[in-house]
Amino acid sequence: MTIREQTSSLGLLAQLSTAVLIGLVLGAIGPFGTFDAMSAPTRYFYWSVLVLLNWLQVLIVRRFLNANPLTQHLPKALLGVLAGSLSAIPATFEVFWFESTFRGTAAGVPLPELFVYVWLLTLLIAIPASLIFGAAPPLQAVSVTSPPSPPTAPSPTAHFLQRLPEDKRGQLVALEMQDHYLCVHTDHGQHLLLMRMSDALAELKDADGQQTHRSWWVARAAVKGLSKRGTTPMLRLKNGLNVPVSRSHFARLRHSGWL
């Protein structure tokens, strides 16, 4: 849980605790005739649940108002008035049900008049809550995030091509041994490296390519077709090169599906 989530969680807990405390105070006072009409346990339950329910509704409405671009920049007090007014609509029917259930009088007043009383109650909740607590905290306290993906290791050819100048890097086509140098053919051209073929083959052992001749290594993706120069099989590459295939490598390449 991040610091921001902990702060939001504490803010929500403080608001709900405040709602329960107000409910208990109203339960002790017993306003609107509830002191004489209800027993103490019923009265405390009545007011605690009713205030907590109304407070939660105010929180939800404030959350939507804070997220709405039309209302999110309004003054806190005005946001409280809007939240209290909107919350009073469902709260009126809840109070009507509570009165019918716990007092059996269906509130004893018409719904329009009951709405006025409930509206005043929700304003007493919403305005101080907006001024004291500010923006409504998110109702979820913890968010689960996926662990970061491990960095992808560079491919063998990409690592090998780092030796080349930037303008020569691209798709690796072939390697050609020339005396003590290695001519690296890419789709961006060619470049000479002072490197042994055996060292290059060891580095490219996991790459998708094959040695076709003691002096040549070819990437599979670069092969366009097969031809012959006399009796010597030749691989035609996409960049126009023709690479010989020696007898010692012919069977392995055919077994691998290259020929």
Side-chain angles (χ1 to χ4, degrees):
M1 184 183 292
T2 65
I3 294 176
R4 181 178 180 179
E5 289 167 342
Q6 290 174 350
T7 303
S8 296
S9 179
L10 290 173
L12 179 60
L13 182 61
Q15 296 206 45
L16 297 182
S17 300
T18 302
V20 173
L21 180 61
I22 292 174
L24 293 175
V25 171
L26 291 176
I29 298 172
F32 303 110
T34 56
F35 190 90
D36 296 324
M38 300 177 186
S39 64
T42 302
R43 195 169 63 248
Y44 281 111
F45 177 82
Y46 173 95
W47 283 109
S48 297
V49 173
L50 195 58
V51 173
L52 182 60
L53 182 61
N54 285 316
W55 197 294
L56 285 172
Q57 288 170 165
V58 168
L59 274 179
I60 294 171
V61 174
R62 282 174 54 220
R63 181 175 173 80
F64 282 109
L65 293 176
N66 289 331
N68 192 312
L70 297 176
T71 56
Q72 62 184 185
H73 299 298
L74 293 176
K76 293 179 180 180
L78 185 54
L79 278 175
V81 172
L82 283 175
S85 300
L86 293 173
S87 302
I89 298 172
T92 299
F93 294 97
E94 292 158 5
V95 171
F96 186 88
W97 183 86
F98 266 71
E99 286 287 301
S100 301
T101 302
F102 292 98
R103 202 170 355 187
T105 62
V109 294
L111 277 176
E113 185 179 345
L114 180 62
F115 172 79
V116 175
Y117 294 140
V118 174
W119 177 62
L120 293 174
L121 176 62
T122 53
L123 287 183
L124 288 175
I125 293 174
I127 295 176
S130 295
L131 293 175
I132 297 172
F133 295 103
L139 297 182
Q140 70 276 11
V142 180
S143 61
V144 179
T145 56
S146 302
S149 302
T152 304
S155 66
T157 55
H159 184 269
F160 181 84
L161 290 170
Q162 293 300 311
R163 293 182 171 85
L164 274 61
E166 288 190 12
D167 63 326
K168 298 297 183 182
R169 297 173 193 173
Q171 182 180 4
L172 182 61
V173 173
L175 304 178
E176 179 187 4
M177 188 171 67
Q178 297 181 1
D179 296 327
H180 299 294
Y181 289 89
L182 193 67
C183 181
V184 182
H185 298 269
T186 73
D187 58 352
H188 289 177
Q190 53 187 269
H191 183 75
L192 288 177
L193 290 177
L194 184 59
M195 186 179 191
R196 296 183 301 178
M197 175 66 82
S198 58
D199 293 336
L201 293 177
E203 187 168 324
L204 295 171
K205 63 183 177 64
D206 295 324
D208 191 9
Q210 292 280 359
Q211 186 176 12
T212 66
H213 187 274
R214 68 182 184 87
S215 301
W216 286 90
W217 177 95
V218 175
R220 181 190 288 268
V223 178
K224 187 176 181 181
L226 179 67
S227 62
K228 277 193 175 184
R229 181 180 295 168
T231 59
T232 303
M234 305 289 291
L235 288 177
R236 289 184 291 109
L237 305 187
K238 293 179 179 179
N239 67 342
L241 282 175
N242 287 285
V243 178
V245 179
S246 65
R247 291 182 180 180
S248 59
H249 295 288
F250 186 87
R252 175 173 50 79
L253 291 172
R254 170 166 285 182
H255 180 72
S256 301
W258 279 53
L259 305 175

